[in-house]
Amino acid sequence: MNEPRPRGRPRRYDPARAMEAAVGAFLAAGFSGTSLDRLSEATGMNRPSLYAAFGDKEALYLKALAHYAAQLDAALTAGMGTDRPVAKAIEGYLNGAIDHYTADGDAAQGCLVVCTATAEAAATPAIREALAAVLARIDRALETRLRSARDSGELPADADPAALAALIGAVQHSLAVRARAGTSRRQLRKIARDAVHLLLR
């Protein structure tokens, strides 16, 4: 007895690989600088397939942004537990960001969110909203860890977790920009260490 054949045409692409390829293309050239032809080349998908799978270029960029941000969140917040001093946890968090921003060694890579979304945010409301949401998520994660440190007595009682979180987030975003400009990983780590010393000493 013949088994029934599945309906429809088989999927000819790997969604995870296609998304990683799209992230790489957007990270290299930004939203405006990445053509549909470049995305087709990077993902191995023709334009109709790209549209069918991801929507138009803006929709694909927003999906790539969400995918990248989720990966970054998972990589960074994993090391912010309460099992080590808060200064070490935050420095580890920033060093994790540096590793992510310099994944190709000291190549000028940076961050998809900070280094590409900011260029489009003023003119594209959907990208502006996505950028704001990612920044807010970073602030909340940092504030939660800092509030725990204050409540346990590790930080002074008058410490302001929200203000400290915003400042540490600002350091993180600066690290992304500096990585994009070609600052070495060693120099970036020193900036992170000095910032943590000044803010959490």
Side-chain angles (χ1 to χ4, degrees), residues 79-86 89 144-145 148-149 152 154:
M80 278 209 301
T82 57
D83 57 334
R84 55 179 173 162
V86 66
T144 297
R145 179 63 182 89
S148 173
S152 68
E154 195 176 357

Side-chain angles (χ1 to χ4, degrees), residues 18-43:
M19 183 55 67
E20 288 294 339
V23 167
F26 284 126
L27 184 55
F31 173 74
S32 296
T34 304
S35 66
L36 284 170
D37 287 341
R38 176 69 188 97
L39 288 167
S40 293
E41 179 185 356
T43 60

Side-chain angles (χ1 to χ4, degrees), residues 35-141:
S35 66
L36 284 170
D37 287 341
R38 176 69 188 97
L39 288 167
S40 293
E41 179 185 356
T43 60
M45 300 167 67
N46 59 31
R47 286 194 186 195
S49 297
L50 274 174
Y51 280 117
F54 301 111
D56 63 13
K57 189 173 88 164
E58 183 178 313
L60 174 53
Y61 177 78
L62 290 169
K63 289 182 174 71
L65 203 63
H67 175 78
Y68 179 92
Q71 286 188 320
L72 187 60
D73 281 352
L76 300 187
T77 57
M80 278 209 301
T82 57
D83 57 334
R84 55 179 173 162
V86 66
K88 290 291 185 185
I90 297 300
E91 185 177 347
Y93 171 90
L94 292 175
N95 283 335
I98 291 166
D99 289 344
H100 206 80
Y101 301 154
T102 58
D104 290 333
D106 284 336
Q109 179 171 314
C111 171
L112 183 69
V113 179
V114 175
C115 298
T116 71
T118 50
E120 308 297 332
T124 312
I127 294 177
R128 182 167 63 249
E129 291 171 11
L131 171 62
V134 172
L135 298 184
R137 240 180 11 251
I138 290 171
D139 286 349
R140 283 196 301 271

